[in-house]
Amino acid sequence: TALLSTALAGTVLLAGSPAGAAAGSTGVTKGAPNGATATTLPAAGSVVKANGITRTILSVTRPANAPGEVLYLTKVRIAPKSKLAEHFHDGTQIASVQSGILTYRITSGSTTITRANGTTRTVTGPTTVKIRAGESLVEGAGLTHYGANTTTKPVVILTAALIAEGAGLSTPVGTGATGTEFAVAADL
């Protein structure tokens, strides 16, 4: 099963990849996308691909009213039978499933899910829930989780994340923290 996550130091960890695998073999390139560095933000349109997971930066900014934070708008595509590494966010992320059915595993913490009919439900881990197109959830900093696509159709998710500057979009934990490391933008 393919696993992808972006680590705190701006590293992508791919579980199941052989140690020392070439970056080109997984679609992840070494270095910062589109010329981003630790002091710059990744450019809109930056893409990280690995083992069935594609994350595209749609927009990114440092909000004037949130010093020390970076606001990201991303699109994540999870190919059939692929899965993200277990991780947490150093901030708050809102995720909205645009298509497909996301199998969402909470290993610790709680999240609020908004169903397509507008009803909300707080779910506490450990547990697994299905999030369908038109549904969303809020991921707080204390939530350890991962998403998977157990179906034969892609899952597409839009995310808005307010993350501490210098932190990655997600930090792998548990079994998801093993694998081959590839350097990408420090802010990605």
Side-chain angles (χ1 to χ4, degrees):
T1 303
L3 300 176
L4 166 82
S5 189
T6 306
L8 185 63
T11 313
V12 175
L13 297 174
L14 302 171
S17 298
S25 67
T26 62
V28 177
T29 56
K30 289 188 176 190
N34 298 338
T37 67
T39 58
T40 64
L41 298 177
S46 297
V47 176
V48 175
K49 294 181 183 181
N51 299 334
I53 311 297
T54 303
R55 181 186 296 270
T56 304
I57 304 289
L58 300 175
S59 186
V60 61
T61 190
R62 290 182 181 97
N65 63 337
E69 303 287 320
V70 178
L71 180 61
Y72 295 90
L73 178 63
T74 72
K75 178 170 75 171
V76 178
R77 183 185 182 278
I78 306 172
K81 309 301 181 194
S82 297
K83 148 180 156 176
L84 293 156
E86 181 181 355
H87 64 278
F88 67 90
H89 304 283
D90 192 10
T92 299
Q93 177 169 279
I94 298 173
S96 175
V97 175
Q98 301 298 293
S99 63
I101 301 171
L102 178 69
T103 300
Y104 189 79
R105 175 70 182 167
I106 301 169
T107 52
S108 67
S110 298
T111 188
T112 300
I113 298 170
T114 301
R115 296 296 184 187
N117 66 6
T119 61
T120 60
R121 176 177 143 205
T122 298
V123 181
T124 301
T127 193
T128 302
V129 294
K130 301 284 187 181
I131 311 293
R132 292 170 169 74
E135 300 179 337
S136 61
L137 57 121
V138 177
E139 300 171 334
L143 178 69
T144 303
H145 62 284
Y146 65 87
N149 181 357
T150 60
T151 74
T152 59
K153 296 182 180 177
V155 172
V156 177
I157 306 163
L158 288 180
T159 70
L162 187 63
I163 304 293
E165 188 159 5
L169 281 168
S170 59
T171 302
V173 298
T175 59
T178 62
T180 303
E181 293 188 21
F182 296 98
V184 293
D187 288 330
L188 185 64

